Amino acid sequence: MDSGQWDWIVPAGLWDVARPLLPAARVRPQGGGIIGVADEAVFAAIVYVLVIGCAWRALPPCFGASKSTVHRRFVIWSRAGVWARLHQAVLDRLADDDLLDVSRVVLDSAHVRAKKGANTQVLHPWTGANPVPSCTFCRMRPDCPWSSACPQPTFTTAAS
């Protein structure tokens, strides 16, 4: 992001930290395909979606990449561990510049592994499976095996 084109969404210096962490583009063995979108534009588009909180399909066209391309690279980079390494690299840079203050730290539950164990939920009698299906056509169909278990319709007519 040397040109400063994406400075409005990507903080200064973040691309310099992220660039070496990105996996090399995979070469298609069969050849062909279209010219790839620059990693800078895709990175800026991903940052935009994550910061703004919009859906991938709401990605504006100013990035020059389709929502499918941006999402596909997000998935590829996520599986490659780019985001965890980027987070650690930013923390390391802040610590090197003595800008990291860990006197107050918040632990996000999304980063804490859930312990595996027995299901402690209690199955209450009223949440159990009902042997009689809930269907509305039983009383209309004489061949339904549950027709006797279903409540019969009550007809009310106005007295004349």
Side-chain angles (χ1 to χ4, degrees):
M1 303 206 187
D2 305 322
S3 63
Q5 180 180 7
W6 307 113
D7 288 346
W8 61 275
I9 189 66
V10 178
L14 185 59
W15 174 243
D16 297 330
V17 176
R19 181 185 298 139
L21 302 176
L22 299 179
R26 193 174 59 154
V27 178
R28 294 167 49 113
Q30 72 273 26
I34 59 172
I35 297 174
V37 180
D39 286 341
E40 303 172 58
V42 174
F43 184 77
I46 291 171
V47 170
Y48 176 85
V49 168
L50 296 177
V51 169
I52 301 298
C54 68
W56 294 105
R57 67 179 173 271
L59 187 68
C62 66
F63 295 102
S66 70
K67 61 179 173 27
S68 302
T69 298
V70 174
H71 183 260
R72 182 177 55 253
R73 291 222 200 145
F74 173 75
V75 170
I76 290 170
W77 293 349
S78 296
R79 289 180 181 160
V82 169
W83 308 115
R85 291 195 321 259
L86 179 62
H87 183 229
Q88 188 61 50
V90 169
L91 289 176
D92 292 343
R93 281 215 177 171
L94 289 172
D96 291 344
D97 294 340
D98 203 26
L99 297 172
L100 188 63
D101 179 22
V102 291
S103 61
R104 290 192 231 169
V105 177
V106 175
L107 183 63
D108 185 1
S109 63
H111 291 88
V112 177
R113 185 175 177 180
K115 291 184 178 181
K116 295 181 180 175
N119 186 1
T120 59
Q121 295 178 349
V122 178
L123 183 62
H124 296 288
W126 57 85
T127 60
N130 187 354
V132 179
S134 173
C135 59
T136 57
F137 297 110
C138 283
R139 53 186 161 241
M140 303 297 183
R141 293 181 43 209
D143 61 327
C144 179
W146 302 104
S147 62
S148 62
C150 291
Q152 297 299 318
T154 56
F155 298 101
T156 57
T157 55
S160 11

